[in-house]
PDB file of all heavy atoms in Angstrom:
ATOM      1  N   THR A 126     -19.835   5.835   1.003  1.00 96.00           N
ATOM      2  CA  THR A 126     -21.210   5.361   1.138  1.00 96.00           C
ATOM      3  C   THR A 126     -22.031   5.731  -0.101  1.00 96.00           C
ATOM      4  O   THR A 126     -21.618   6.579  -0.904  1.00 96.00           O
ATOM      5  CB  THR A 126     -21.888   5.996   2.365  1.00 96.00           C
ATOM      6  OG1 THR A 126     -21.996   7.413   2.141  1.00 96.00           O
ATOM      7  CG2 THR A 126     -21.115   5.720   3.647  1.00 96.00           C
ATOM      8  N   GLU A 127     -23.214   5.120  -0.228  1.00 94.00           N
ATOM      9  CA  GLU A 127     -24.125   5.429  -1.339  1.00 94.00           C
ATOM     10  C   GLU A 127     -24.451   6.923  -1.380  1.00 94.00           C
ATOM     11  O   GLU A 127     -24.467   7.530  -2.448  1.00 94.00           O
ATOM     12  CB  GLU A 127     -25.435   4.634  -1.206  1.00 94.00           C
ATOM     13  CG  GLU A 127     -25.299   3.162  -1.449  1.00 94.00           C
ATOM     14  CD  GLU A 127     -25.170   2.804  -2.925  1.00 94.00           C
ATOM     15  OE1 GLU A 127     -25.520   3.629  -3.791  1.00 94.00           O
ATOM     16  OE2 GLU A 127     -24.710   1.685  -3.193  1.00 94.00           O
ATOM     17  N   ASP A 128     -24.730   7.514  -0.212  1.00 94.00           N
ATOM     18  CA  ASP A 128     -25.076   8.937  -0.161  1.00 94.00           C
ATOM     19  C   ASP A 128     -23.930   9.807  -0.649  1.00 94.00           C
ATOM     20  O   ASP A 128     -24.140  10.790  -1.366  1.00 94.00           O
ATOM     21  CB  ASP A 128     -25.467   9.350   1.258  1.00 94.00           C
ATOM     22  CG  ASP A 128     -26.831   8.808   1.668  1.00 94.00           C
ATOM     23  OD1 ASP A 128     -27.609   8.388   0.782  1.00 94.00           O
ATOM     24  OD2 ASP A 128     -27.121   8.802   2.879  1.00 94.00           O
ATOM     25  N   GLU A 129     -22.715   9.456  -0.273  1.00 95.00           N
ATOM     26  CA  GLU A 129     -21.554  10.237  -0.717  1.00 95.00           C
ATOM     27  C   GLU A 129     -21.347  10.096  -2.225  1.00 95.00           C
ATOM     28  O   GLU A 129     -21.077  11.076  -2.919  1.00 95.00           O
ATOM     29  CB  GLU A 129     -20.289   9.774   0.020  1.00 95.00           C
ATOM     30  CG  GLU A 129     -20.274  10.157   1.487  1.00 95.00           C
ATOM     31  CD  GLU A 129     -19.138   9.519   2.253  1.00 95.00           C
ATOM     32  OE1 GLU A 129     -18.883   8.298   2.066  1.00 95.00           O
ATOM     33  OE2 GLU A 129     -18.495  10.236   3.031  1.00 95.00           O
ATOM     34  N   VAL A 130     -21.509   8.886  -2.726  1.00 95.00           N
ATOM     35  CA  VAL A 130     -21.324   8.627  -4.152  1.00 95.00           C
ATOM     36  C   VAL A 130     -22.374   9.361  -4.980  1.00 95.00           C
ATOM     37  O   VAL A 130     -22.104   9.784  -6.100  1.00 95.00           O
ATOM     38  CB  VAL A 130     -21.334   7.107  -4.429  1.00 95.00           C
ATOM     39  CG1 VAL A 130     -21.441   6.806  -5.913  1.00 95.00           C
ATOM     40  CG2 VAL A 130     -20.086   6.465  -3.851  1.00 95.00           C
ATOM     41  N   ALA A 131     -23.561   9.556  -4.415  1.00 93.00           N
ATOM     42  CA  ALA A 131     -24.632  10.272  -5.125  1.00 93.00           C
ATOM     43  C   ALA A 131     -24.228  11.700  -5.467  1.00 93.00           C
ATOM     44  O   ALA A 131     -24.769  12.297  -6.388  1.00 93.00           O
ATOM     45  CB  ALA A 131     -25.910  10.264  -4.283  1.00 93.00           C
ATOM     46  N   GLU A 132     -23.235  12.232  -4.757  1.00 91.00           N
ATOM     47  CA  GLU A 132     -22.751  13.595  -5.028  1.00 91.00           C
ATOM     48  C   GLU A 132     -21.771  13.638  -6.188  1.00 91.00           C
ATOM     49  O   GLU A 132     -21.372  14.705  -6.638  1.00 91.00           O
ATOM     50  CB  GLU A 132     -22.097  14.164  -3.764  1.00 91.00           C
ATOM     51  CG  GLU A 132     -23.066  14.293  -2.607  1.00 91.00           C
ATOM     52  CD  GLU A 132     -22.383  14.652  -1.301  1.00 91.00           C
ATOM     53  OE1 GLU A 132     -21.173  14.965  -1.306  1.00 91.00           O
ATOM     54  OE2 GLU A 132     -23.065  14.605  -0.268  1.00 91.00           O
ATOM     55  N   GLY A 133     -21.364  12.475  -6.680  1.00 94.00           N
ATOM     56  CA  GLY A 133     -20.441  12.391  -7.808  1.00 94.00           C
ATOM     57  C   GLY A 133     -19.313  11.425  -7.512  1.00 94.00           C
ATOM     58  O   GLY A 133     -18.943  11.214  -6.359  1.00 94.00           O
ATOM     59  N   ILE A 134     -18.782  10.835  -8.575  1.00 96.00           N
ATOM     60  CA  ILE A 134     -17.747   9.809  -8.476  1.00 96.00           C
ATOM     61  C   ILE A 134     -16.680  10.094  -9.526  1.00 96.00           C
ATOM     62  O   ILE A 134     -16.978  10.686 -10.570  1.00 96.00           O
ATOM     63  CB  ILE A 134     -18.402   8.412  -8.658  1.00 96.00           C
ATOM     64  CG1 ILE A 134     -17.437   7.282  -8.329  1.00 96.00           C
ATOM     65  CG2 ILE A 134     -19.005   8.253 -10.026  1.00 96.00           C
ATOM     66  CD1 ILE A 134     -18.110   5.911  -8.236  1.00 96.00           C
ATOM     67  N   ILE A 135     -15.457   9.711  -9.254  1.00 95.00           N
ATOM     68  CA  ILE A 135     -14.390   9.876 -10.240  1.00 95.00           C
ATOM     69  C   ILE A 135     -14.691   8.943 -11.416  1.00 95.00           C
ATOM     70  O   ILE A 135     -15.079   7.790 -11.224  1.00 95.00           O
ATOM     71  CB  ILE A 135     -13.013   9.576  -9.621  1.00 95.00           C
ATOM     72  CG1 ILE A 135     -12.690  10.639  -8.548  1.00 95.00           C
ATOM     73  CG2 ILE A 135     -11.926   9.547 -10.692  1.00 95.00           C
ATOM     74  CD1 ILE A 135     -11.412  10.380  -7.764  1.00 95.00           C
ATOM     75  N   GLU A 136     -14.518   9.451 -12.613  1.00 93.00           N
ATOM     76  CA  GLU A 136     -14.855   8.692 -13.814  1.00 93.00           C
ATOM     77  C   GLU A 136     -14.176   7.324 -13.830  1.00 93.00           C
ATOM     78  O   GLU A 136     -13.005   7.201 -13.489  1.00 93.00           O
ATOM     79  CB  GLU A 136     -14.447   9.490 -15.060  1.00 93.00           C
ATOM     80  CG  GLU A 136     -14.975   8.897 -16.335  1.00 93.00           C
ATOM     81  CD  GLU A 136     -14.766   9.795 -17.545  1.00 93.00           C
ATOM     82  OE1 GLU A 136     -14.045  10.799 -17.439  1.00 93.00           O
ATOM     83  OE2 GLU A 136     -15.332   9.485 -18.592  1.00 93.00           O
ATOM     84  N   ASN A 137     -14.934   6.310 -14.230  1.00 94.00           N
ATOM     85  CA  ASN A 137     -14.488   4.919 -14.351  1.00 94.00           C
ATOM     86  C   ASN A 137     -14.262   4.206 -13.020  1.00 94.00           C
ATOM     87  O   ASN A 137     -13.737   3.095 -12.987  1.00 94.00           O
ATOM     88  CB  ASN A 137     -13.227   4.804 -15.213  1.00 94.00           C
ATOM     89  CG  ASN A 137     -13.454   5.290 -16.621  1.00 94.00           C
ATOM     90  OD1 ASN A 137     -14.497   5.023 -17.208  1.00 94.00           O
ATOM     91  ND2 ASN A 137     -12.505   6.025 -17.147  1.00 94.00           N
ATOM     92  N   ALA A 138     -14.643   4.838 -11.911  1.00 96.00           N
ATOM     93  CA  ALA A 138     -14.468   4.199 -10.605  1.00 96.00           C
ATOM     94  C   ALA A 138     -15.536   3.143 -10.368  1.00 96.00           C
ATOM     95  O   ALA A 138     -16.669   3.261 -10.833  1.00 96.00           O
ATOM     96  CB  ALA A 138     -14.515   5.238  -9.496  1.00 96.00           C
ATOM     97  N   ILE A 139     -15.154   2.123  -9.623  1.00 96.00           N
ATOM     98  CA  ILE A 139     -16.065   1.081  -9.164  1.00 96.00           C
ATOM     99  C   ILE A 139     -16.439   1.434  -7.723  1.00 96.00           C
ATOM    100  O   ILE A 139     -15.554   1.719  -6.914  1.00 96.00           O
ATOM    101  CB  ILE A 139     -15.374  -0.295  -9.169  1.00 96.00           C
ATOM    102  CG1 ILE A 139     -14.926  -0.679 -10.574  1.00 96.00           C
ATOM    103  CG2 ILE A 139     -16.277  -1.369  -8.574  1.00 96.00           C
ATOM    104  CD1 ILE A 139     -13.964  -1.861 -10.575  1.00 96.00           C
TER     105      ILE A 139
END
Side-chain angles (χ1 to χ4, degrees):
T126 65
E127 290 284 342
D128 288 343
E129 289 171 316
V130 168
E132 298 171 9
I134 190 169
I135 294 174
E136 190 171 10
N137 299 319
I139 299 167

